[in-house]
Amino acid sequence: MELSRPRGTRDFLFYQMKQRKMVENTLKRVFESYAYQEIKTPIFENLSLFTQKSGEEIVEQIYYFKDKGDRQLALRPELTAPVARLYISKLQKSPKPLKMYYFGSCFRYERPQAGRFRQFWQFGCEIIGGKSPETDAEMITMAAHSLKELELEGFEIHLGHLGILRGILDEVNIVEKDQDHIMGLIDKGEREKLLKFLTKLKIDDNTLKILLELIAMKGNPQIIGNLKKILKGREKALNALQELEELLEYLEILQTDDYLLNLGIARGLDYYSGMVFEIYVPSLGAQKQICGGGTYNIIETFGGEKIESTGFAFGFDRLMSALISQGIDWKVSPVADVFIAPISPKTRKESLKIAQYLRLSGISTEVDLGRKKLKKILSYAHNRGIKKVVLVGERDLKQGKLTLKDMETGEQILINKDELLNQIDVLKK
Ligand code: HAM
C-alpha cells in the first residue's frame, strides 16, 4: 500500500495548526472589522465554472474528474468563480454592496516547489455592488491592515489598472480573447512570446511601443504625469487612468500610502477588468506573491447582471512562510492549563471528576488517561508545557486536600479541595 502523501500536499502538525489558527483568527477579526461576513462554498464544482473565464493557465492546472453519474467536476482552483456562482444563484436580491470573505483550500496541478503546492489555502474576500474607487481603496487598505496586524515585515503592494492596457487594445480592435492571452503572457513575464503575438495581431508600431513602455512602468504616484503624456489621445486608457488617480486619492484618505504603481500587473486570471494589485514579500524568492486581486466582471460572463465586483485572496501558505521565516513570537498557548494526576489507582475516578468540573468551569484540563506512574505523568505534563499539576493522593483526599504543583518553580502547596475549586481563576494565570 502506498503510504506517502500525494505530491504537492502537506500534513500540518499540532503547533503548525495553532499558528495557522492564530493567523486565520487575526484575518477574520480584521475582515469583520470592515463588515465582511464569512461564507463557505463546496470544494468541488462543475468543471465548466472554471473553464469559462478563469484563464488558460488555470484551466491547464485544474484537477478534474467524472463522478459516478458521469458529471464533469473539478476541485476548485480558486474561489472567485464559486462566489460569483453563489451570488447569482442565491444573493442577487441582497442589499448591496455585499461583502463576503472565505477561507478554504484550492487545488492546482502545478510543479511543486517552495511556496507552490497542489493543495493550498486562500483567505480572500469579494465585494459585489460597491462603487469604485472608494470600494477598491477600502479593500486594498484592508489587505494592508491585515498584514500590519499580523506584524508582517517587508511586504510591497503593487498597484495597476488593467483598464489602461485593455483600453489601448480595445481602441486598436483587439478582441477580448486575444486580450486575455496578452494579459496571460504579461503576467508570466513571457516577453518574447508577447512580442511574437502582438506582431501576429499586426498591432501598429506606436501602440506596440506604448504597450511595452507601459508594462515596464513602476514607481510612486508621480509617474501619473508621465503616463498621461504617453497615453495622449487614447481616451479609453485615459479614462482608466483617471479612475486610478481617484483611487489614489481615496487611498490617501484611508492613510494607505505604502504602495507602488506597477502598470505591468496583468494577473494570471482572465476575469479582471480594472484595478489590479499584488502583494509581494521579496524574501520568499520565486513564489513571493502572497496576495492578488482586483476588479472583475465574471458575474456578467456567467449570465448575471453587470455589477461592479472587486476581491482579493491571500495565499495563506505563503503568508505563513513569510511570518515563520521572520521569526514571529507566536505566543502559542499550552495544550491545557491544568493536569490532574491521580497518585494512586484509587483516586483515578475522583481525578476524572475534578478534571470535568474544571472543564465545565472553562479551564482547559487534561487528566491522566495512560494510568502512568507519577514520575512519567510529571514528565508528560512538562513536555506538553502544562504549568500546573494537581496531585490527587489517597490520604490527602480523605482529609479533603489536594496538592497543587507549579511546574515552573517546582513548588508544591497543600490546599483544601474546595479551595482548588474556588480558585479556578488563579490556575489560568
Ligand atoms: P491568484 O493570484 O491566482 O488569485 O491566487 C491568490 C494567491 O494564492 C496568490 O497570490 C498566491 O499567494 C496563492 N497561490 C496561488 N497558487 C498557489 C499555489 N500553487 N501554492 C500556494 N499558493 C498559491 C486568485 O485566485 C483570485 N481568485 C483572487 C481574487 C479574489 N481576485 C478577486 N477576488
Side-chain angles (χ1 to χ4, degrees):
M1 187 173 57
E2 182 65 79
L3 270 185
S4 59
R5 277 180 282 114
R7 251 167 82 71
T9 64
R10 285 152 302 152
D11 296 311
F12 299 104
L13 285 177
F14 323 117
Y15 67 98
Q16 291 167 314
M17 283 313 295
K18 280 202 171 175
Q19 293 172 341
R20 290 172 77 91
K21 257 287 167 270
M22 284 163 82
V23 173
E24 179 191 337
N25 288 340
T26 303
L27 294 177
K28 280 188 170 168
R29 182 165 48 74
V30 176
F31 281 39
E32 284 175 11
S33 76
Y34 287 75
Y36 280 76
Q37 298 187 87
E38 188 169 10
I39 48 165
K40 208 158 214 95
T41 61
I43 295 249
F44 58 89
E45 298 269 1
N46 291 322
L47 175 64
S48 57
L49 186 72
F50 301 109
T51 47
Q52 271 192 48
K53 192 68 189 165
S54 293
E56 294 161 21
E57 195 183 355
I58 290 274
V59 170
E60 274 168 28
Q61 296 170 342
I62 287 180
Y63 274 92
Y64 62 89
F65 58 98
K66 266 193 184 168
D67 72 2
K68 291 180 180 166
D70 222 23
R71 298 171 196 92
Q72 288 222 298
L73 301 170
L75 296 182
R76 63 183 179 204
E78 58 106 36
L79 280 114
T80 306
V83 174
R85 173 198 53 70
L86 168 68
Y87 170 76
I88 292 170
S89 60
K90 285 219 174 104
L91 298 168
Q92 289 205 74
K93 294 205 172 76
S94 328
K96 311 283 175 335
L98 196 56
K99 292 171 147 187
M100 298 169 274
Y101 78 88
Y102 48 79
F103 178 51
S105 55
C106 301
F107 304 83
R108 295 185 190 175
Y109 192 81
E110 300 204 74
R111 198 168 51 77
Q113 53 177 273
R116 192 198 271 172
F117 309 101
R118 290 185 173 169
Q119 181 187 15
F120 62 97
W121 275 256
Q122 283 191 353
F123 196 111
C125 61
E126 313 294 340
I127 175 163
I128 299 177
K131 292 274 175 251
S132 297
E134 50 270 53
T135 305
D136 298 353
E138 189 191 77
M139 187 164 265
I140 297 166
T141 300
M142 183 169 84
H145 183 168
S146 304
L147 298 178
K148 283 182 195 147
E149 203 66 21
L150 289 167
E151 295 179 29
L152 181 71
E153 289 162 5
F155 64 88
E156 293 173 7
I157 303 174
H158 287 228
L159 179 60
H161 199 300
L162 283 189
I164 301 175
L165 294 175
R166 288 195 187 265
I168 295 174
L169 294 169
D170 274 348
E171 283 178 0
V172 292
N173 301 320
I174 304 297
V175 296
E176 194 175 320
K177 196 166 158 285
D178 290 336
Q179 287 189 21
D180 292 347
H181 187 62
I182 292 170
M183 297 305 150
L185 293 174
I186 298 175
D187 179 62
K188 280 190 267 173
E190 305 258 26
R191 199 184 148 86
E192 288 310 310
K193 284 190 188 160
L194 175 68
L195 272 175
K196 231 174 167 178
F197 191 65
L198 292 173
T199 316
K200 195 176 128 204
L201 292 173
K202 299 199 170 63
I203 286 185
D204 64 277
D205 286 352
N206 192 27
T207 304
L208 183 70
K209 189 174 146 266
I210 289 176
L211 277 175
L212 295 179
E213 210 171 323
L214 272 182
I215 60 176
M217 263 181 106
K218 263 189 218 164
N220 59 29
Q222 267 120 44
I223 65 169
I224 297 243
N226 198 8
L227 269 167
K228 279 185 186 157
K229 276 189 219 144
I230 297 175
L231 297 173
K232 201 159 175 250
R234 296 181 190 259
E235 284 315 308
K236 274 197 168 173
L238 281 169
N239 286 343
L241 183 61
Q242 166 84 29
E243 234 180 83
L244 182 61
E245 251 190 302
E246 280 176 45
L247 163 61
L248 303 192
E249 281 169 28
Y250 280 101
L251 280 175
E252 199 179 333
I253 288 168
L254 294 171
Q255 295 172 9
T256 302
D257 48 16
D258 41 358
Y259 60 84
L260 205 67
L261 289 182
N262 181 345
L263 276 296
I265 293 186
R267 306 284 298 127
L269 296 146
D270 281 356
Y271 45 64
Y272 295 103
S273 49
M275 175 283 288
V276 279
F277 74 106
E278 291 181 348
I279 305 182
Y280 309 127
V281 176
S283 60
L284 288 178
Q287 308 306 321
K288 64 179 181 176
Q289 191 193 310
I290 59 158
C291 176
T295 59
Y296 55 87
N297 59 15
I298 195 172
I299 291 170
E300 198 186 357
T301 314
F302 286 172
E305 74 226 88
K306 185 174 169 61
I307 186 160
E308 303 198 40
S309 329
T310 304
F312 72 82
F314 284 119
F316 193 80
D317 310 85
R318 294 185 190 170
L319 185 54
M320 289 306 301
S321 301
L323 289 167
I324 288 165
S325 64
Q326 190 183 301
I328 286 272
D329 176 10
W330 293 96
K331 297 189 189 80
V332 169
S333 54
V335 128
D337 293 320
V338 190
F339 197 102
I340 312 293
I343 294 182
S344 92
K346 289 200 178 139
T347 60
R348 213 167 269 143
K349 287 182 179 154
E350 187 60 25
S351 297
L352 257 78
K353 254 194 203 168
I354 296 172
Q356 196 58 12
Y357 179 77
L358 291 180
R359 289 168 186 148
L360 293 174
S361 309
I363 296 211
S364 60
T365 308
E366 191 172 359
V367 61
D368 174 51
L369 296 176
R371 299 194 173 183
K372 290 199 245 332
K373 293 254 162 32
L374 183 62
K375 204 171 153 206
K376 287 227 165 123
I377 290 183
L378 291 177
S379 103
Y380 175 84
H382 171 75
N383 287 337
R384 287 166 79 72
I386 299 175
K387 294 197 180 111
K388 307 275 183 197
V389 175
V390 176
L391 308 172
V392 190
E394 201 183 338
R395 226 180 309 141
D396 286 350
L397 208 54
K398 274 189 189 142
Q399 295 164 12
K401 305 261 183 208
L402 296 167
T403 300
L404 185 58
K405 183 178 177 74
D406 184 317
M407 294 294 281
E408 279 172 332
T409 60
E411 194 189 336
Q412 289 191 182
I413 49 167
L414 199 63
I415 54 170
N416 286 325
K417 197 175 150 207
D418 295 347
E419 200 188 332
L420 170 76
L421 303 177
N422 290 336
Q423 283 188 5
I424 282 163
D425 281 341
V426 180
L427 291 173
K428 278 191 169 169
K429 285 182 191 150

